Amino acid sequence: MGNYIPNIDEEQKEMLNSLGMSSFDELYKDVPEKLMKNETFSIPDGKSEQEVLSFMKKIAEKNKVYDDIFRGAGAYNHFIPAMVNNVISKENFQTAYTPYQAEVSQGVLQNIFEYQTMICELTGMEASNAGVYDGASAAAEAVNMIRTKKKNKILVSETSPKSTIDVIKTYAFGNGVEVEIVPQKDYLTDIEKLKGMLEKDVCGIFLQSPNYYGSIENVEEIANLVHEAGGKVILGVNPMTLGLLKTPRELGADIATGDAQPLGLPMYFGGPYAGFMATTSKDLRKLPGRIVGETHDKYGNRAFVLTLQAREQHIRREKASSNICSNEALCCLAVAVYLSEVGKKGLKKVAINSMSNAHYLASELEKIGFNVENKSEFFHEFVTSSDKDTKLIDKKLSDNSILGGLPLDENRILWCCTEMNSKEDIDKLISVLKED
C-alpha cells in the first residue's frame, strides 16, 4: 500500500522553519503533557490487497445475518432496486465532493436539484436544501431556524426518538436555547400538558409523526395550538409515510424534517444516511447549508447554480445560524434514483404493504397473548406488552434467524414491518413464539 502523507520530510521542515520552530514538539507545546502520547507507536507493516480482503472476510464472519427483520426504531429494511446501486456506484459520482467552483459541476448540481424537487413534492413544501447529515441533525438545524432573541425556548415532544432529542439538546446548549420536554400520554404527545406550556418565550415545537412508538400524532390540532400562541411547528416524518398520509404542509407544519434512509439507503451499521429539510418560501433564506437553483446560460440552455451560497462558510462565525457547509450528496443521489425508480404509485404501494403487514402482525401477536399498547392509529411500528421476558423472546427469535422487535424494557417490545415482511415471514415468527 502506498504512503498517503502528502508532504516529504524536507517540506515539513520548511513549514516548521517558516513558523520559527525546529520540531513538531514545539508545534504542540501548548497541549497539556498528560494528553501527549510520547511512546513510539507500534505500527505493523502494510498488507497486500489479497491479505486485507482475507482479513476483512474473517471479521465479517462475526456478523449475524438474519433471514427476517422485524426491527425499525429509526432504520428500516426496505427493498432497494438494483438501479440505485448501479447509478451511485459510477466513479464520477462516488468521487464527487461538495463543489467549490460549483457551476463547473453541472451533473452534481442537477442531482441535488432533482433531489430537492422530490423532497418538496413529498412534503408539500416550497423549498428544500441539499440535505444534511441525518434526521436528528435536520431537527436540530430546524430549531435554529425558528428561534429568536425574544423566543428562545423550544418544546420537544417526549414521543420523539431519544437520539433526536439528545442532538437537539446538544445544539441548544451551544446556542443558549432552552429545551422543554412535552410529556407523552398513551404514546402520544399530551396535548393538555402542551396547552399549559405555550408561553410567550416559546418559539415552537418539534414533534415526530409517526412518532418513535409508531403512533400517528394529532398534528393538526397541535399545529393550531402552537400557531395561535405565535410559535412554529417542526414536524419530523418518515418519508415513506408520505406516499400514503397527508403531507407536513397539509398538517400545518412550518418545517418538515426527517431521515431519508428508507428511500433507497441500506441500514448499513447506522449510516451514512441523509437528513432532509423543507419549508415554505417564507423561510427559504433561513434554510441551512446549500441550495441548488435552476436557471439558463447565455445560450438559453437549462443550467444549475449554487443559490444562497454566501452563508455559513462565508460570514463571521458569530453571525452564522448553522455550521453545516456540506451535504450528503451521494446519499441524496441514491434517494433521487430510488424515488425516480419506484414512482408515486410504487411509493404508495410500499407504504400500504408496510402498514398492512404491521397490522397483520399486531393482530397475530394479540392472539398469542401480547397486548398492543398503541391506542391510536399506527403506521408500520407499534408497541406490545406481555408477561414474557423480552430478552428471552429476542434470543429465541434470534436462534431462529429472526431479528425481533426492539426490547424497550422487560415487558415491552417495539415491532416494525415493511414490505419485506411477507405473510409467511410473520406466520413463522408467530410459530416460533408459540413454541415452549
Side-chain angles (χ1 to χ4, degrees):
M1 307 298 281
N3 186 334
Y4 290 95
I5 297 175
N7 44 62
I8 60 178
D9 291 344
E10 287 76 8
E11 291 172 327
Q12 292 175 23
K13 290 178 181 177
E14 186 179 343
M15 286 189 285
L16 286 171
N17 290 335
S18 69
L19 296 172
M21 299 176 183
S22 60
S23 69
F24 282 106
D25 290 337
E26 286 187 64
L27 185 62
Y28 292 101
K29 65 181 180 181
D30 293 327
V31 177
E33 183 66 27
K34 63 181 180 180
L35 298 179
M36 298 295 288
K37 187 175 178 64
N38 295 316
E39 62 267 27
T40 303
F41 286 96
S42 178
I43 301 176
D45 293 334
K47 296 180 181 295
S48 68
E49 181 178 353
Q50 179 182 349
E51 290 172 321
V52 170
L53 185 60
S54 175
F55 178 71
M56 296 302 289
K57 283 182 176 179
K58 288 179 181 179
I59 294 177
E61 288 172 359
K62 297 178 182 179
N63 292 330
K64 183 173 179 62
V65 179
Y66 293 93
D67 294 335
D68 304 306
I69 299 174
F70 292 89
R71 185 170 299 186
Y76 302 100
N77 181 38
H78 289 285
F79 176 75
I80 300 174
M83 175 68 76
V84 177
N85 286 331
N86 183 272
V87 172
I88 69 172
S89 295
K90 295 180 183 298
E91 185 178 351
N92 50 344
F93 286 125
Q94 288 202 327
T95 57
Y97 184 60
T98 299
Y100 287 99
Q101 291 180 314
E103 283 63 47
V104 175
S105 307
Q106 284 292 298
V108 173
L109 291 183
Q110 181 175 357
N111 149 34
I112 297 172
F113 179 82
E114 302 293 356
Y115 161 82
Q116 290 174 177
T117 302
M118 292 177 186
I119 292 299
C120 288
E121 289 178 344
L122 277 178
T123 60
M125 296 295 181
E126 297 165 331
S128 163
N129 67 10
V132 293
Y133 304 126
D134 53 28
S137 60
E141 292 287 348
V143 172
N144 281 348
M145 287 176 60
I146 67 172
R147 67 185 178 94
T148 65
K149 289 182 179 180
K150 292 183 179 180
K151 292 179 175 287
N152 209 34
K153 180 189 291 184
I154 183 69
L155 304 181
V156 180
S157 173
E158 190 180 18
T159 62
S160 306
K162 185 179 182 302
S163 57
T164 301
I165 296 174
D166 287 345
V167 173
I168 289 175
K169 286 182 175 179
T170 300
Y171 270 63
F173 172 78
N175 292 324
V177 176
E178 183 181 349
V179 178
E180 195 167 343
I181 304 299
V182 183
Q184 64 97 7
K185 182 180 181 182
D186 297 327
Y187 301 101
L188 290 169
T189 304
D190 191 329
I191 294 180
E192 291 305 311
K193 291 286 179 64
L194 170 63
K195 291 177 181 177
M197 300 170 71
L198 291 169
E199 301 170 348
K200 290 183 179 180
D201 59 346
V202 171
C203 63
I205 186 172
F206 173 83
L207 74 156
Q208 185 163 304
S209 182
N211 62 33
Y212 181 73
Y213 304 103
S215 295
I216 297 175
E217 296 272 3
N218 191 341
V219 179
E220 290 175 279
E221 183 178 354
I222 292 173
N224 287 334
L225 288 170
V226 175
H227 288 153
E228 287 174 7
K232 292 188 175 183
V233 177
I234 305 167
L235 181 62
V237 292
N238 177 341
M240 192 58 75
T241 68
L242 302 179
L244 186 63
L245 306 180
K246 285 185 177 181
T247 68
R249 181 77 180 277
E250 290 173 319
L251 294 172
D254 298 284
I255 304 173
T257 68
D259 205 306
Q261 182 274 326
L263 305 178
L265 295 173
M267 291 185 288
Y268 292 127
F269 196 68
Y273 298 154
F276 63 86
M277 300 182 70
T279 187
T280 62
S281 55
K282 178 182 176 182
D283 290 323
L284 166 64
R285 290 184 174 274
K286 294 181 181 178
L287 275 171
R290 293 172 174 253
I291 301 173
V292 175
E294 181 182 9
T295 186
H296 293 88
D297 64 17
K298 65 180 182 180
Y299 303 108
N301 298 317
R302 187 186 189 208
F304 302 92
V305 295
L306 201 57
T307 307
L308 300 179
Q309 64 174 316
R311 299 161 73 74
E312 296 80 21
Q313 64 270 48
H314 298 97
I315 63 178
R316 285 181 294 182
R317 184 179 301 174
E318 63 271 17
K319 287 192 173 183
S321 60
S322 168
N323 65 357
I324 292 283
C325 301
S326 186
N327 74 287
E328 299 289 291
L330 190 64
C331 294
C332 291
L333 173 60
V335 171
V337 176
Y338 175 87
L339 289 172
S340 300
E341 178 73 4
V342 301
K344 292 181 180 179
K345 291 182 179 179
L347 191 68
K348 184 176 182 179
K349 186 176 180 181
V350 172
I352 290 174
N353 288 346
S354 297
M355 190 171 184
S356 299
N357 290 341
H359 282 73
Y360 175 67
L361 173 61
S363 65
E364 292 300 298
L365 286 170
E366 285 186 311
K367 292 177 183 178
I368 59 173
F370 287 81
N371 300 310
V372 175
E373 297 279 295
N374 303 63
K375 304 305 178 187
S376 62
E377 186 57 271
F378 59 88
F379 178 60
H380 73 344
E381 288 181 279
F382 59 94
V383 178
T384 63
S385 62
S386 71
D387 57 1
K388 302 172 184 177
D389 190 318
T390 55
K391 290 183 179 179
L392 294 179
I393 292 174
D394 193 49
K395 184 179 185 307
K396 188 174 186 179
L397 292 174
S398 181
D399 290 343
N400 285 271
S401 197
I402 300 172
L403 180 61
L406 177 68
L408 298 178
D409 53 36
E410 293 180 356
N411 305 110
R412 296 181 305 149
I413 297 176
L414 176 63
W415 301 90
C416 176
C417 281
T418 69
E419 82 281 12
M420 298 287 281
N421 302 110
S422 66
K423 180 179 181 299
E424 290 72 23
D425 297 333
I426 296 171
D427 291 342
K428 175 186 172 183
L429 180 147
I430 297 299
S431 176
V432 170
L433 292 177
K434 281 181 178 179
E435 297 174 358
D436 294 329

